[in-house]
Amino acid sequence: MLMPILQINSEDVPEYAIVCGDPKRAAHIASLLDNTRELAFSREYRSFVGTRDGIELAVVSHGVGSPGAAVCFEELIRAGVKTIIRVGTAGSYSADHPAGSLIVSTAAVRTDGLTRQLVPEAFPAVADSEVTEALYQAARQSEGIVQKGITVTLDVFFNGVEEFPHKKYKQAGALAVEMEISALYIIASLRGIRAGAIVALDGYADADLAEEYDPNTDTVANAVQREIEAAIQATVQLAKRA
């Protein structure tokens, strides 16, 4: 069966998928696998399949923001994916977690608009505990700061007239902010699959800690490489336990 937006056939899609925002990053992740082949490149959605240690997995880009990413998640699930892991970047809320740190998201604050149209306001966006632990343990095998905790998902990247209440979420214990995780967790809950996410911090979202934003540093690139390898290793471990 052909997925109309991703332009991939369900027969080509395995049960495990790693997703990311950037099509170029998807290509890089796929290059780290064996027997890699590209399935399609439609809009912002670039899809590959490959293997690691005999485990087949898909790698698909989902673009920026929850609505477009949700299309990717829904079609992957309809194609037969049972476990989705997101790798991405996020802004830090804490000086204890500078750029280059990794955060495994245990749950996401739903400040995005998409999930409000899917479930009631009070419904939580929560990661699968087994996927979370696999990501955390895999990430800890590399050098550098690794933490797990709550992340915030929002729609705004550049500020407007209204000011987003980063300080409140920081005070409540959130660790970082990004743009797609709550959509992944809500859709996973609705469709009965497992999901988790790991993000590399590329700067500070907290105004008190804010500095010139530059996600294109060696520090961030190294962190992205660490999270990618953690996601691949976690996927392999989850598949072998199944």
Side-chain angles (χ1 to χ4, degrees), residues 86-104:
R86 164 166 152 71
V87 297
T89 54
S92 175
Y93 278 155
S94 172
D96 293 334
H97 306 127
S101 304
L102 299 182
I103 302 294
V104 177

Side-chain angles (χ1 to χ4, degrees), residues 38-94:
E38 185 167 357
L39 300 181
F41 195 165
S42 173
R43 305 186 186 191
E44 65 264 47
Y45 310 111
R46 192 172 187 183
S47 305
F48 301 84
V49 291
T51 62
R52 172 69 73 89
D53 295 344
I55 303 300
E56 189 176 23
L57 61 150
V59 180
V60 184
S61 61
H62 55 62
V64 177
S66 290
V71 173
C72 174
F73 307 151
E74 292 278 14
E75 288 207 346
L76 284 175
I77 294 166
R78 292 180 186 186
V81 172
K82 303 298 184 185
T83 301
I84 300 177
I85 292 176
R86 164 166 152 71
V87 297
T89 54
S92 175
Y93 278 155
S94 172

Side-chain angles (χ1 to χ4, degrees), residues 8 27 30 35 43 45 51 96 121 136 139-140 150 154 157 163 174 177 204 207-208 222-223 226 232 240:
I8 58 177
N35 308 309
R43 305 186 186 191
Y45 310 111
T51 62
D96 293 334
E121 290 276 355
Y136 183 64
R140 289 184 65 194
I150 297 170
L154 79 170
F157 191 88
E163 184 176 350
V177 57
Y204 291 114
D208 295 332
N222 290 337
R226 288 167 54 216
I232 294 172
K240 288 184 174 180

Side-chain angles (χ1 to χ4, degrees), residues 181-192:
I181 292 176
S182 66
L184 174 59
Y185 291 175
I186 291 298
I187 289 170
S189 180
L190 287 172
R191 310 307 176 209

